[in-house]
Amino acid sequence: MDPLILVAGAGVAAGAMNALAGGGSFVSLPALIAAGVPPVLANTSSTVALYPGGMASAWAYRDGLVGVGDVGLRPLLVATLLGGIAGAFLLLHTSTRAFDLVLPWLLLVAAFALGFGRRLGEWMRARWRVRPALVLGLQFGLGVYGGYFGGAVGIMMMAVWGLLGTHDIKSMHPPRTLMVTAANTMAVLIFIAAGAVQWRETLIMLVAAILGGYGGALLGKRIPAPIVRAGTLLLTAFITVAFFVRAYG
């Protein structure tokens, strides 16, 4: 298969997945690597390619932007931006070999968050409530993860925010979308400034992801949520195992 066709198809699939259930990077990143893009560049290029979809979602949620529990929106945003900067620079200073070894574990963390993040959040909320300062520290860490890799980071954020005693999941969607976009914004700017983007593949995937996101939103109105969730989890599990075999097999 022509590598550019593979990249375009993966962009459509990733955009649709992000619109339906999340986890688009599970498709975009392996496709770029399969197309011959070095792993670190594939990660940076994937982040740039999927960025416009996240920005559009953040804009759509702009009227619902509020703080979370006792933590204001601005401190959360500052912690996320600083974390995103740190994560992006950390990625650019990671060797290809080191990234090959750590990538399967990042995928495993993201797959676990996709599969069990909401249940874990409910379990944690039933047992703990933490101070806002600790949540800001955790938010910085999630910003680092978002700038470095970012898979399922939005679900992780909502699990952490639940420790503040916030139970209204719907109200957390707008700030979650903004924070994910904030971390990605810093990463995208740093990656572009560093010349760490494979532009031909990235632009093809970017356009395809926009089309896939629109189509995914339409499909989401017709496909039952349990089917979407099951398909996403199966795909993420398969790709995670494949990368463990690739790195350690």
Side-chain angles (χ1 to χ4, degrees):
M1 179 184 292
D2 187 316
L4 296 183
I5 294 177
L6 174 64
V7 167
V12 171
M17 287 178 65
N18 282 341
L20 289 166
S25 58
F26 275 88
V27 175
S28 60
L29 178 58
L32 287 167
I33 293 174
V37 181
V40 173
L41 274 180
N43 193 34
T44 59
S45 298
S46 172
T47 300
V48 174
L50 300 183
Y51 177 73
M55 178 64 80
S57 297
W59 178 255
Y61 274 128
R62 66 189 183 280
D63 293 334
L65 292 174
V66 294
V68 179
D70 297 328
V71 181
L73 188 67
R74 185 172 297 177
L76 279 173
L77 185 59
V78 170
T80 307
L81 289 171
L82 293 176
I85 292 170
F89 277 115
L90 180 62
L91 177 63
L92 291 178
H93 289 84
T94 301
S95 69
T96 296
R97 177 55 183 160
F99 189 73
D100 277 339
L101 293 175
V102 77
L103 179 56
W105 297 100
L106 294 171
L107 290 170
L108 182 62
V109 168
F112 183 85
L114 283 171
F116 305 103
R118 288 183 177 87
R119 291 182 184 177
L120 179 61
E122 293 170 0
W123 184 84
M124 292 166 63
R125 280 197 299 273
R127 289 161 176 79
W128 297 296
R129 185 169 181 176
V130 301
R131 295 180 179 276
L134 177 57
V135 170
L136 286 175
L138 294 172
Q139 186 67 25
F140 173 81
L142 290 171
V144 174
Y145 174 80
Y148 190 89
F149 179 65
V153 67
I155 295 174
M156 298 178 195
M157 286 183 187
M158 293 180 72
V160 168
W161 295 349
L163 297 179
L164 288 166
T166 302
H167 300 281
D168 184 2
I169 300 298
K170 186 176 180 180
S171 70
M172 290 195 283
H173 283 304
R176 176 209 64 179
T177 306
L178 176 64
M179 298 308 151
V180 173
T181 303
N184 285 339
T185 296
M186 302 315 299
V188 165
L189 291 175
I190 291 169
F191 296 156
I192 292 174
V197 180
Q198 197 102 343
W199 279 111
R200 183 179 65 163
E201 290 82 357
T202 299
L203 292 175
I204 291 172
M205 181 170 280
L206 187 153
V207 173
I210 292 173
L211 296 175
Y214 181 76
L218 296 178
L219 283 174
K221 299 177 181 179
R222 297 174 172 82
I223 302 177
I227 293 178
V228 172
R229 180 175 174 78
T232 301
L233 291 178
L234 283 173
L235 180 62
T236 55
F238 174 79
I239 292 174
T240 300
V241 170
F243 270 88
F244 267 104
V245 172
R246 175 177 178 269
Y248 298 98

